């Protein structure tokens, strides 16, 4: 089971729909069950294998073996502090980008802050550079990369496999300290979105030497 905390926003919903449409069992969490139920009811993934249920954030944390965090940065600590024990030992996929001027980095990524907040969880930074608009094209293989970073090698490889399975190419971005680069790249992409009036993403090119 894959849980979502803050699953009712654009990014959580897009990832949850894509995972469910690809055969994963997903519980989409919210502060209010009714809100989660509404988002789940709008899912039109269609396939027989699709399995998406609604719950509270607490239920998503409890039931998820892998738990995605798709909250705004400003609510990360207050929401997750009480869920610490439920998230113990689990892979926690951090999708948060600290973006506004009030949330400026203090030399540390949201992912590293999250790992400090949840020392017994296996935090993996992923999907920060892929827009909900693209992820929401559920049946399409994407042509952009998601940078995946973690200090837990096994957890990172699991998230890379999961990402590839749902049609989102991933690159192994190394240790969690590199998550800061990933978050700053998102800022760059958002700047370009505005400049070019388009959705942007990036693809790493590998050249033989
Ligand atoms: N949108 C994108 O394209 C995109 C791309 C990459 C990464 N991200 C990152 O993914 C995260 C989610 O993005 P989003 O656009 O989906 O965000 P969002 O809609 O602003 O928030 C997601 C959910 O978080 C919950 N939430 C909002 N304020 C809260 C608060 N004060 N306390 C507790 N829960 C609160 C809400 O769920 P309930 O009301 O149901 O509890 C909301 O639906 C962000 O950190 C963003 O930077 C987004």
């Amino acid at each position: 089971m894959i849980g979502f905390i803050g699953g009712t926003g654009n990014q959580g919903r897009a990832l949850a729909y894509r995972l469910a449409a690809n055969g994963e069992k997903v519980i989409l969490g919210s502060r209010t069950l009714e809100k989660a139920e509404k988002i789940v009811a709008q899912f039109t993934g269609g396939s027989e294998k699709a399995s998406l249920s609604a719950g509270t954030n607490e239920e998503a944390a409890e039931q998820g073996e892998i738990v995605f965090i798709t909250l705004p940065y400003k609510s990360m600590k207050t929401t997750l502090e009480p869920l610490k024990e439920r998230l113990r030992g689990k892979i926690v996929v951090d999708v948060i980008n600290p973006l506004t001027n009030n949330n400026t980095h203090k030399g540390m990524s949201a992912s590293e802050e999250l790992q400090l907040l949840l020392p017994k969880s296996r935090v993996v930074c992923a999907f920060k550079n892929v827009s909900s608009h693209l992820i929401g094209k559920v049946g399409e293989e994407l042509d952009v990369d998601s940078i995946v970073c973690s200090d837990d090698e096994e957890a990172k490889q699991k998230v890379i496999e999961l990402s590839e399975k749902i049609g989102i190419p991933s690159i192994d971005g190394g240790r969690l300290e590199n998550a800061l680069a990933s978050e700053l790249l998102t800022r760059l992409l958002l700047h370009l979105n505005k400049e070019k009036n388009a959705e942007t993403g990036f693809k790493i090119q590998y050249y033989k030497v």
Side-chain angles (χ1 to χ4, degrees):
M1 178 73 89
I2 296 174
F4 274 79
I5 296 178
T8 57
N10 287 341
Q11 189 71 342
R13 165 204 316 225
L15 282 163
Y17 284 5
R18 187 174 268 267
L19 285 159
N22 282 282
E24 296 294 329
K25 283 198 164 68
V26 178
I27 174 166
L28 185 146
S30 164
R31 286 169 292 181
T32 43
L33 180 60
E34 295 70 25
K35 190 169 169 188
E37 284 172 341
K38 207 168 142 191
I39 300 296
V40 167
Q42 289 164 9
F43 176 57
T44 52
S47 110
E48 278 169 31
K49 286 201 283 178
S51 168
L52 182 64
S53 59
T56 60
N57 285 334
E58 288 75 13
E59 287 166 338
E62 185 73 37
Q63 293 174 33
E65 286 130 23
I66 297 178
V67 181
F68 280 62
I69 312 297
T70 47
L71 293 163
Y73 174 75
K74 64 176 165 42
S75 53
M76 175 176 91
K77 286 188 181 159
T78 47
T79 307
L80 298 179
E81 178 72 45
L83 301 177
K84 240 180 181 169
E85 276 312 302
R86 287 184 168 99
L87 294 170
R88 179 184 274 264
K90 296 186 177 179
I91 295 177
V92 171
V93 182
D94 170 37
V95 190
I96 294 173
N97 281 310
L99 291 172
T100 68
N101 289 335
N102 295 332
N103 299 330
T104 45
H105 292 279
K106 295 171 190 77
M108 191 189 268
S109 62
S111 298
E112 289 165 288
E113 281 185 55
L114 188 58
Q115 185 65 84
L116 287 175
L117 180 71
L118 307 174
K120 306 288 184 206
S121 301
R122 310 162 75 190
V123 173
V124 179
C125 153
F127 307 110
K128 296 196 184 207
N129 318 116
V130 190
S131 83
S132 59
H133 182 78
L134 294 177
I135 296 172
K137 297 179 177 194
V138 166
E140 277 182 32
E141 290 269 321
L142 302 188
D143 191 28
V144 296
D145 284 326
S146 157
I147 298 178
V148 186
C149 310
S150 181
D151 290 339
D152 184 318
E153 193 59 34
E154 193 192 55
K156 181 171 64 179
Q157 293 311 323
K158 274 197 182 163
V159 174
I160 289 174
E161 263 172 47
L162 187 62
S163 181
E164 298 282 338
K165 183 183 166 194
I166 63 170
I168 304 178
S170 289
I171 55 167
D172 183 337
R175 294 183 64 91
L176 208 57
E177 64 189 4
N178 291 342
L180 184 57
S182 167
E183 292 170 14
L184 292 173
L185 270 173
T186 305
R187 285 193 187 205
L188 179 66
L189 292 177
L190 289 174
H191 165 75
L192 294 172
N193 286 354
K194 252 196 215 155
E195 288 283 304
K196 304 288 179 193
N197 193 23
E199 282 288 322
T200 55
F202 65 84
K203 187 96 197 133
I204 302 288
Q205 298 293 335
Y206 297 87
Y207 298 100
K208 286 234 161 79
V209 286

